[in-house]
Amino acid sequence: MTTSTTVGRAFLILAAVSGLAGTLVASAAPTPRFPPGAPWYRDISKQPADPDSERMIRASIRDADATPLNLRIDYAMHVLQTDAATPRRLPLVPAPGYFLPDCDTGIEVPVPQHGAIEDSNDYRCSGHDCHLLVVDGSTLYEGYGTTIDEAGVHALCMVRWQLDRIYPEDGRGEQCTSADAAGLPIAPLLFNADEVAAAMRSDSDLGHALRYILPNSSMRKGTYAHPATHAGKPSGGQDSIPYGARLRLKQSVSIERFDAPSRVILRTLRAYGAFVADGGSVPLTAQSDRDTRTKWAELGLDEKALRALTLADFEVVPLGSLHALTYDCHRNAVR
């Protein structure tokens, strides 16, 4: 049970290490894993493309509003791991405009001492999406619009995912968002430098689907496809790709000309694809190397070569169930 004394003690610890925000945590962990039956682990390399794939790709490119669709990588996400020293726990303080009933309330959140939120070296929001991702045993906490101070964990949305559960097709609930606009989990769809290094050694892939970002102008207005259960503010035409679509690198794209770490990522995009999860301008999302043994600079990934690939080099795997977007969330019962 959290008391004011516990909260104060936790933030004395956080304050003591604030000057060491850049200190690297010695342990490294793979991205959080759901059970093998979760959709992210399904090999879709042999599936035919959706009959309307080419039309959707062309429409999304046309609707992009001059936003570059080159294959770039965002390294701003941190995936934090709790341990015996983690302050247990700080109260969730819903910010004005908190998404209800989509997101959880009345919970306490574990806050690792040396952690940080997205695009930051500490727990202060710099004005962007400010995602907080924390793995605590079999529970994954994911927050959007998050900042942390002496009063607790402030967020616009905080959700708990059960990592020992295979969720139904409608996830946490139809029309319900999560810390990502599509209502999907974030951390299991990231990739980190340790994973890439391990796959390079075995000349293999990452074994799971990735997270893909498109401009909202490139995504079909008023529609999402399972396993997504929500969409942000898509404004594209009815021929465009919907939120929740699974994209796959085309077989016609030769990957042998790329460097070894890029080949790992491209093999993954061919075998498992990537789910369209949020609106923005940088397609792929990797985990920061702040908490991994391997550093991105050590891998020699040629990002300039990757940027030669665009949305036109992908195809849409057959869409799941399509749903008209109403923003009327109906949460599924929590086990």
Side-chain angles (χ1 to χ4, degrees), residues 92-317:
L92 170 65
V93 183
Y98 194 82
F99 294 103
L100 291 172
D102 312 51
C103 306
D104 295 331
T105 57
I107 63 174
E108 296 172 322
V109 182
V111 179
Q113 296 174 21
H114 298 277
I117 58 173
E118 178 188 12
D119 204 27
S120 177
N121 286 324
D122 54 32
Y123 287 119
R124 290 172 292 188
C125 180
S126 60
H128 300 291
D129 286 348
C130 300
H131 289 103
L132 173 72
L133 310 176
V134 182
V135 181
D136 184 37
S138 62
T139 304
L140 169 63
Y141 293 81
E142 295 194 337
Y144 165 70
T146 311
T147 192
I148 301 174
D149 60 20
E150 291 81 359
V153 180
H154 304 260
L156 279 167
C157 179
M158 181 68 65
V159 302
R160 291 169 297 178
W161 292 95
Q162 297 168 255
L163 293 172
D164 56 357
R165 177 185 179 190
I166 296 179
Y167 283 78
E169 188 179 41
D170 60 353
R172 297 174 59 257
E174 209 68 79
Q175 305 289 337
C176 301
T177 192
S178 64
D180 226 351
L184 300 173
I186 297 173
L189 299 177
L190 304 181
F191 59 101
N192 67 37
D194 286 339
E195 284 185 294
V196 173
M200 287 169 60
R201 289 191 290 270
S202 58
D203 201 30
S204 60
D205 55 50
L206 300 173
H208 62 86
L210 306 184
R211 178 179 186 257
Y212 206 95
I213 305 301
L214 280 173
N216 271 307
S217 61
S218 290
M219 288 185 281
R220 190 180 307 182
K221 183 178 181 180
T223 307
Y224 63 83
H226 282 160
T229 57
H230 188 267
K233 295 181 180 178
S235 58
Q238 289 305 298
D239 287 340
S240 297
I241 297 166
Y243 265 86
R246 195 170 196 165
L247 303 180
R248 177 179 60 199
L249 187 69
K250 291 179 177 178
Q251 287 288 339
S252 59
V253 176
S254 172
I255 67 174
E256 298 310 313
R257 60 190 171 92
F258 291 90
D259 59 87
S262 295
R263 290 199 300 272
V264 168
I265 296 168
L266 297 177
R267 280 195 293 266
T268 301
L269 289 169
R270 181 166 287 164
Y272 298 93
F275 287 98
V276 177
D278 205 353
S281 60
V282 182
L284 297 182
T285 315
Q287 180 183 341
S288 161
D289 61 13
R290 186 174 182 271
D291 302 325
T292 59
R293 292 188 178 92
T294 309
K295 306 306 168 188
W296 286 111
E298 298 171 3
L299 296 179
L301 192 153
D302 186 350
E303 295 189 61
K304 183 177 179 181
L306 275 181
R307 286 196 293 271
L309 298 174
T310 72
L311 184 61
D313 294 301
F314 288 80
E315 57 195 356
V316 181
V317 175

Side-chain angles (χ1 to χ4, degrees), residues 54-67:
E54 285 300 319
R55 177 177 58 82
M56 286 187 277
I57 295 289
R58 286 196 303 269
S60 288
I61 293 172
R62 182 191 65 227
D63 294 342
D65 288 346
T67 302

